[in-house]
Amino acid sequence: MRMTSGLFAAAMTAALLSRVAVAAETVPTGKLPDDAKPLAYALDLKIDPKADRFNGHVRIKVKLAKPTDHVWLHARELDVAKAVVTDAKGKAHDAKLTLRDSSGVAEVAFGATLPAQDIELAFDYSAPFNAKLQGIYKVKVGDDAYVTSQMEAISARYAFPSFDEPRFKTPFDITLTVPKDEAVLANTQQIGYSESPDKKWKTTVFARTEPLPTYLIALAVGPWDVVDGPTIPANSVRKNALPLRGVGPRGTGPQLKWILEQTPETVKYYEEYTQQPYPFDKLDLVGAPDFSAGAMENAGIIVYRDVLLRIDAKSPASSYRSSFNVNAHEVAHQWFGDLVTVPWWDDIWLNEAFATWAQGKATVALKPEYLGDLSRLEGTLRAMNSDSQLSARKIRQPIKDQGDIENAFDGITYQKGAAVLRMFEEWVGEDVYREAMRDYLAKHKFGSGNSDDLIATIARVSGKGETLAKAMRSFLDQPGLPLVHAELKCIKVGDSGKETLELSQSRYLPYGVLDQSNPQWQIPVCTRFSSNGKVSRQCFLLDKPKQTFALNSDCAQWVMPNADASGYYRFSLDKGDFTALTRQAEDLAPAEQLVYADAISSAFEQGAIGPEVVLDAMPALASSDSPQIATALVGSFEWIREHLATDATRPALDAYAKSLYASRLKELGLHKRPNDGDATTRLRLGLVDLLALTVRDKDLRAQLNGEARAALGLDGGKVDLGKLDPDVRGVALKVAVQDSGEAAYKAVQQELKTNTQTKQRYELLAALAATHDAKLGEDARNYGLTPAVAVGEIQYLYYSNVGEEENRAGFWNWLKPNFDTLRKRLPDSHQSLAIGLAGAGRCSKDSGEEMREWFAPRIKEMLGGERKLAQSLEGVGTCGALREHVGTKALAQWAEAHPTR
Ligand SMILES: [Zn+2]
């Protein structure tokens, strides 16, 4: 169209104005501006796993909300050869993509101002396969090369130019051109196929996706084994049968059978719960040979570390359990995260807490033998430990930059979030809660929902209105963990009495830490209590600093202030009430026994009770058949042993642990018996771990060392790890490296050259690095920097290294010159790994200062590192403060009363 002079002037003014606007416009490193919105993508990628790079042609339909001469989007490490913008009338203009921020924020300039309208952006580009398991990346296994992807949180920008934010949900048309013999998969079913004239390439067209955010796009190309699982039959919620497949590196197909068999029931469970059919047209479970996280819930194509899918007769019981649990978590995401997505990363808990909470429900319902209720409670207690720090994040922490996004994937988001969801489920009732969840999903399906939407739905459906909304927000929008102090106060009325319960709240913090702001919560508190042999349960909303509630009973003999362990809080009692509860401990419900044990360890961490109280409480729990309960105080025991014990008192502690647990292990036997269930196997491993690795029982170690020596061929014969009992294989290999020295170390390293069983590789790497030999320790640490150790394996090696007290000084000296080399191998999400490693075992102000000084000038390079360092230093500080506060005297007295035999 020819411009009249008037229109030209107007266009010029608009262009000038917009240029002025650009000059003043800061680069949007957080959210993108609202004036451009993607409507649909067409991704056309040409991928050869044998090459170093891939090529892409991407078209994005974009709605411009106002006249502009540019849009902002994301692109990172992409070489854009050509950019074209086509206006609503079909006229194409050359455009220019310029990177404006190293996090991948780019400006696409049109060269002229376009009015508000729908336009199309098209890019021709190429990019390297990412070396750090981000975006579209490649892994070599022997001579095979596999390409797969990981887009969450913000790595889609490595794969294609995009509006890389969760609030933009659009359909995607994906077309992949790959070498003819390679398997190829994407989010949806294949609908078109063609071959190149020379027959070297094939082009696969996939069905248009449902509206998805960029972070849920995924693909896989390579010589994969693709095996059909059982088709998931139609049911009352879903009209069509659902195809299910397992995908893994060449040769691993048979190992996928077990998890494929489990998946239909899991899908059905969520369909019944949500009354929403599985939202996509197929489900593929892909086991990637290397992967940065555990698994990723891409719509219709979940990608896992292959270790989580590869299950066979040689797998330990823990592998079956993790496989089931992680699969149940990722499948839950297909509704919680994929069907309904969060608009921005500050609400990511809605994805992760939902999936964690839903997985807990599914496991309890489908695999009761896994004791899922205790496992999720263990997760909650771990989150409580993180939440006891002053530097803890809020569940709904504001997100300012990429580091905040990476930090958002932590125990506060997952386990605290899930525990808060469960607490309110308990409060409004399971049926009402399910109605609210169904309502929420139905209303927001294929779109987005945020915390306010969810809270409003539960508040309305439950009829609890603003009271519930306020209570939920008190847990989402402030950090920390409440401590509820409960006190029974019986009021005499004539001959009998009426019981009352006084509840007060404060923030739980470890010894020596104060929160001046004195935060308050609105806490649903459920209690169990006994009066004249009759046990009752009663719930209250504690919404003041201190409140007295009437119990529906006469004077009570004891109270459990967290009935069924459903509340997200710790509790304390006065001495008399605690003694009364202790007398009941063995009769409490298993979950209540676990929070009872937590009340002991948390009181110890507050400096309120001495080590002797913790130690004396161990026998009552040690005889439990539940592995979680039997070992509930072992964490505290290990802390006492590491930080309070001296050469004089340690033997008494070790003898005590043996007296409590060695006979139990003897009863169970060192190896799995035919009828052992999951709990037995888990208990056995817990006891072996404590007795062989912490207490270092000589006889047990000799037996494990002998078994591992035979498997490693040290006394003649070939290496055959199949000789070891899979459940204790990892511990046996560690013991062999520690007790059989260089010969075992060398055999383990040799085995790593050819072993491709991922679970065994993790165990071998952990064994290698667990050496107590200074020279071999250095060798193991250097080994972790070589390509022989895959990126996703790195953490197993170094965490095992610093897990041994003997290695910590060596690690610290090694880290300083090797920090950059290590950091450069790690994905964005793992940049602060070195902080966690360097902090292991530190327990004094001075050692904290040493860490602070060294990391301070480097912290800016470590994505999310500032918060990680603050948390680590706070942990070191509180450990040191408690150690000084407790001193060694009480333990010495205890040791005198518990002589070693
Ligand atoms: Zn998740």
Side-chain angles (χ1 to χ4, degrees), residues 387-570:
D387 213 11
S388 301
Q389 294 204 300
L390 265 188
S391 53
R393 285 176 58 254
K394 305 168 191 171
I395 291 180
R396 195 157 56 166
Q397 183 76 27
I399 300 287
K400 299 188 304 292
D401 56 25
Q402 196 188 343
D404 288 340
I405 296 175
E406 300 299 345
N407 284 337
F409 291 84
D410 69 353
I412 297 298
T413 293
Y414 284 67
Q415 278 80 23
K416 177 180 178 182
V420 168
L421 284 175
R422 179 162 145 61
M423 175 166 64
F424 286 95
E425 177 182 25
E426 188 76 18
W427 192 37
V428 306
E430 213 171 341
D431 293 347
V432 172
Y433 214 56
R434 187 169 52 232
E435 273 322 301
M437 291 303 166
R438 287 177 179 172
D439 194 313
Y440 172 78
L441 288 173
K443 191 162 166 203
H444 299 283
K445 65 180 176 184
F446 297 115
S448 303
N450 63 22
S451 299
D452 291 336
D453 297 326
L454 177 77
I455 293 168
T457 307
I458 304 174
R460 177 172 47 76
V461 175
S462 68
K464 289 191 186 288
E466 192 51 29
T467 309
L468 178 131
K470 259 178 83 178
M472 272 192 102
R473 283 193 209 105
S474 77
F475 283 87
L476 299 176
D477 292 333
Q478 63 184 349
L481 161 68
L483 175 69
V484 173
H485 183 77
E487 201 175 336
L488 286 171
K489 284 189 173 166
C490 197
I491 297 162
K492 286 275 171 211
V493 187
D495 284 347
S496 66
K498 282 313 277 177
E499 187 62 72
T500 65
L501 186 65
E502 187 184 278
L503 298 177
S504 55
Q505 59 163 310
S506 57
R507 180 173 182 178
Y508 175 86
L509 289 164
Y511 174 77
V513 185
L514 267 181
D515 182 353
Q516 301 291 359
S517 72
N518 188 26
Q520 295 287 302
W521 289 263
Q522 282 87 54
I523 315 168
V525 173
C526 287
T527 61
R528 192 185 305 286
F529 50 89
S530 170
S531 172
N532 305 322
K534 184 172 167 273
V535 178
S536 316
R537 190 175 186 276
Q538 216 176 320
C539 300
F540 314 97
L541 184 70
L542 174 60
D543 59 2
K544 297 189 175 63
K546 187 185 259 190
Q547 273 164 287
T548 301
F549 299 94
L551 297 186
N552 304 326
S553 93
D554 297 339
C555 291
Q557 280 74 56
W558 56 266
V559 61
M560 157 46 75
N562 192 355
D564 302 311
S566 58
Y568 184 77
Y569 53 86
R570 282 182 160 149

Side-chain angles (χ1 to χ4, degrees), residues 297 329-330 333 351-352 355 414:
E297 67 267 20
H329 176 102
E330 302 307 329
H333 269 309
N351 283 8
E352 297 304 346
Y414 284 67

Side-chain angles (χ1 to χ4, degrees), residues 158-189:
Y158 287 108
F160 53 93
S162 51
F163 295 77
D164 195 11
E165 276 185 33
R167 67 182 155 134
F168 298 124
K169 289 183 83 170
T170 78
F172 283 74
D173 290 305
I174 300 175
T175 303
L176 299 177
T177 300
V178 307
K180 192 168 161 254
D181 296 333
E182 308 278 9
V184 57
L185 305 102
N187 296 85
T188 50
Q189 293 197 36

Side-chain angles (χ1 to χ4, degrees), residues 745 764-771 777 780 796-798 800-802 804 807:
Y745 181 92
L764 289 162
L765 288 164
L768 198 73
T771 175
Y796 294 92
L797 185 141
Y798 291 107
S800 172
N801 190 243
V802 300
E804 305 294 319
N807 295 332

